[in-house]
Amino acid sequence: MGDKRQQQGAVRAVVQWRGDSRARRDHFVRLFADRMLADEWTGVLLLDADFRIVEANPMAGGIFGGDRSAWAGQPADVWAETLGLPLPFGRSLLQGEAFRNRKLAWSKDGVSREVVVDGDALVSGGEVIGAYLLFHDVTPWMMLEEQVRRSDRLKMIGQVAAGTAHEIRNPLTAIKGFVQLMKKSFDERQMTKEQEYAHIVLSELDRVQELVGEFLLLSKSKETKLSSMRLGYVMREMMPMLRNEATLHDIVLLYETKPDLPPVLADKEMLKQVILNLGKNAIEAMGKGGRLLIRERHGGPALSGFVAVEVCDSGPGIPKAALDRIFDPFYTTKENGTGLGLSICQRIVHDLGGRISVASSEAGTVFTVLIPCVPSGPGGQASGGGAFPRDDV
Ligand SMILES: Nc1ncnc2c1ncn2[C@@H]1O[C@H](COP(=O)(O)OP(=O)(O)OP(=O)(O)O)[C@@H](O)[C@H]1O
Ligand SMILES: [Mg+2]
């Protein structure tokens, strides 16, 4: 008896579902559309038949920046021009010219962005009533790809450099030894002019030796000895060197430390070299006068697992066209530069498992170095006694 009633109930439900199927379907489609508009990964723009923006979801606002509420009613091409976006499609979209995965790349305030776009017309009753555009931000992938490309290039140059540097180093040591002997005998005979020549030769040899050393550092992944350390401690050790340079150039050096930073996992000498190189570049860019700020940062989802050091200068900035090249070995705009400073920084930071990036405008340049924190949990406890030796206390 009870079974029968249950069956009747089920039949009624099916009948009702069939009757409502259109309404339910519409409801599901509506839910899906709302979900797409709220999506945090896809930027959506809806256009009307006049190519004007009808709707932009929050993610589109996040990707392109600016006041999203002011976009409604603007023709898409005018909107793009205002934001400096080279749109990879035109009004032919409304003639049903659908496309997929078109690249849209632009840069703003020295920061490059890249998205891929899908677009198609919206048709109702055989008539085009508008179009939709979907944007996917691929900037992180592009950056990763660029880093891999750079890293490959660096590796190749490194191999050539390593071979050459090695061959140069041996005769160099012999030459230096003999010039030192010559200088000694000039000293003994008080041959002042020759003494001076020998002195010049020796200092030039020192420079060659230094260069060769840099080549070798660049070429072989020098064994990095990672240990747990306090960033502030490393910075304080290094700061006097930078302060000297800054004072010589009338530059105000500010160091903004952050209390309670978690310990980082790094190689102290290497880390010092990175910050010194960046500081030196900043001072050289500013010439005489200016402000060099070295700042520690931590916290927030973007820095999860890392501590950041920012090296900010008030120099003239790096032209957009040069931004892609500054990490290339031998790229330099300085008369006496080797163009190896930043490639070495990049190499070191990669070896540490960190990241290095740059943002530049006419108001100055900021290099950001992310250094991995000591992993928390068993074996990697930051509070000491873990798997890593400590040198910070
Ligand atoms: N803070 C900065 N402001 C402006 N330009 C910069 C800055 N840092 C680097 N650059 C540019 O990047 C180039 C490459 O820097 P990198 O440190 O690799 O080599 P370099 O400084 O020219 O030579 P070296 O480091 O051997 O003395 C510089 O020549 C300069 O044009
Ligand atoms: Mg440099």
Side-chain angles (χ1 to χ4, degrees), residues 277 280-281 284 334 339-342:
N277 267 341
K280 221 177 97 212
N281 275 351
E284 285 164 358
K334 299 170 194 166
L340 288 176
L342 285 178

Side-chain angles (χ1 to χ4, degrees), residues 173-225:
T173 315
I175 295 170
K176 212 171 151 187
F178 283 114
V179 177
Q180 268 161 347
L181 280 180
M182 278 160 69
K183 185 168 180 290
K184 203 168 159 220
S185 80
F186 294 148
D187 288 350
E188 280 161 9
R189 291 177 208 175
Q190 292 182 339
M191 298 164 72
T192 36
K193 224 179 191 171
E194 287 76 3
Q195 259 175 311
E196 200 185 318
Y197 294 156
H199 178 75
I200 293 171
V201 173
L202 279 174
S203 68
E204 290 300 306
L205 282 175
D206 277 344
R207 185 163 152 71
V208 177
Q209 211 160 31
E210 213 174 280
L211 258 175
V212 169
E214 283 190 358
F215 269 141
L216 284 173
L217 184 65
L218 184 71
S219 53
K220 3 178 207 193
S221 207
K222 212 180 131 194
E223 227 185 284
T224 32
K225 289 192 216 89

Side-chain angles (χ1 to χ4, degrees), residues 211 214 277-286 311-313 315-319 322 325-345 358 360 364-367:
L211 258 175
E214 283 190 358
N277 267 341
L278 296 179
K280 221 177 97 212
N281 275 351
I283 291 172
E284 285 164 358
M286 288 186 278
V311 179
C312 323
D313 67 56
I318 304 171
R325 305 186 52 203
I326 53 168
F327 288 100
D328 287 352
F330 310 116
Y331 175 81
T332 182
T333 52
K334 299 170 194 166
E335 210 172 306
N336 291 318
T338 63
L340 288 176
L342 285 178
S343 354
I344 291 173
C345 287
V358 58
S360 191
T365 302
V366 180
F367 279 89

